[in-house]
Amino acid sequence: MPDMEDSSDLYDSYESEAPAWADHQAQHLEDLDTVECLRRKIKYYFMNPCEKYHARGRKPWKLILQLVKIAIITIQLVSFGLSNQMVVAFKEENLMTFKHLFLKDYVDGGMDTYAVYRQTDVYDHIEYILKQYGHLHNITVGNHEYEKNGGVYTPLSVCQDFYRNGTIYPGNDTFEIDAHVETECFNVYPMYDPSLREVLPGFELHFKRMLSVKLTFVLKAINLQTVRHRELPDCYDFTVIITFNNRAHSGRIKIDLENDVDINECRDWKVSGACKFTEDSDIFFDTMTIIGSILKIDIQTKVLTSYDVCSIFLGTGTMLVWIGVIRYMGFFRKYNILILTLRAAFPNVIRFICCAGIIYLSYCLCGWIVLGPYHEKFRTLNTVSECLFSLINGDDMYPTFKNMKQKSNLVWIFSRVYLYTFVSLFIYMILSLFITIITDTYDTIKQQQQSGTPTSELQKFLSVCKDLPNSGVYRLDENNGCFLQCWISR
């Protein structure tokens, strides 16, 4: 009978522990469901817009809004670019017009060699400018006009810069010079048939002491080509400066023509036979895009005429908006390798550029000091940097070697050593190492993607979930709210 009693007690103990075991099993299953729900939640978060659409039918509104924003910004940028292109063309064509109008016997592309060598030629060229300026209404085919200030024409100014005193005797190798520079100016008002001796009877050039002669005048014009593009025309003020440069005192006086352009709003205008001139935007862009858009609207409505500032903000904003699309490509494993490579290689690239930049700067300074007097591409530090950067990319290499003047054998030999070592060092070593840094990072990331092995704890956690986006379980999670219920129960 004792055996029967023991078995009965054991049976009673089993019956008492069975509910507790069942509760534990149910709690364990509930925890597994919660973990699986959490895993699907996180996996859904890292899905690309297409996978989210298949998983829960969620439309990629952010992507659509980004594409619409890009379309609006790009259209606006193209519109501004075409308008700015007309402005640049008008400036360049007027500059070419002034050269043909006021420079005697000027030929296109001849400004580098345009100079005078005789005293009489200098006087003749100045008189020619004065006559052309006086006959402007009869000779120009454009809508150019003299500037008026209070109903009076603004005069043309002739200014001569020269040393205060000086006696120079090259035959005896002696000279005496006062380095103070004096300026003598005369004003000439528009006349129909001016003569240099008539309008400037006391004008005399001090060739031995003369540094430069500048003729400055202002002409006005209106850019009418914007009318056909439903945009108000701009009014331009061209400050024309013609310089006779004798600072070298080499017997060759260079002649140059420049013009400074001011764009203003036309004070009184009337346009008929065209659509209304308006410019409206819904502007929900980045900060630079907003600023550029506001400036563009102001330019279109002639409140402002600062094309350069507007182009900088609008162009930079458009560039950043287009670059922002790349983050959507990062959701796709086949397209995000560029982003991952740039992100991983960026620290090493910065360190490498800092070291290579020191070597590059040393070559720039050395070339500027040594080769500057003998090579036009090494005259300034800016041109030296541009020349060496072109050599790194294999551009303009032979002319750089060829154009070196052979006046000094020592400098010529040094230039060969300098150029050969720079090309060999940067093209065959530094540039190759730079490419290697990028390719090594690319290969590492590509191998990780091809192997499919999780590299982080989160990726290992998500790799257990094998539910596809179109399986339908993600819609159930959204409807049931299992993740929220889990947190409420806890």
Side-chain angles (χ1 to χ4, degrees), residues 349-350 352-353 429-439:
V349 169
I350 294 299
F352 181 84
I353 290 178
M429 294 180 61
I430 295 179
L431 189 58
S432 299
L433 290 174
F434 180 79
I435 297 175
T436 302
I437 294 175
I438 305 296
T439 54

Side-chain angles (χ1 to χ4, degrees), residues 114 137 297-298 308 315:
Y114 194 78
H137 289 144
I297 295 173
D298 290 338
D308 294 336

Side-chain angles (χ1 to χ4, degrees), residues 297-315:
I297 295 173
D298 290 338
I299 289 175
Q300 294 291 101
T301 56
K302 303 310 171 187
V303 176
L304 294 176
T305 55
S306 179
Y307 282 86
D308 294 336
V309 177
C310 178
S311 61
I312 291 174
F313 280 104
L314 194 59

Side-chain angles (χ1 to χ4, degrees), residues 27 45 55 59 61 78 82 124 143 145 157 200 262 274 291 294 326 353 359 380 395 437 465:
Q27 181 67 31
Y45 177 80
K59 297 179 176 60
W61 295 111
V78 171
L82 294 175
D124 290 342
N143 54 10
E145 182 58 76
S157 65
L200 298 176
D262 291 330
I291 297 175
I294 294 174
I326 298 180
I353 290 178
I359 303 176
T380 64
D395 184 27
I437 294 175
C465 181

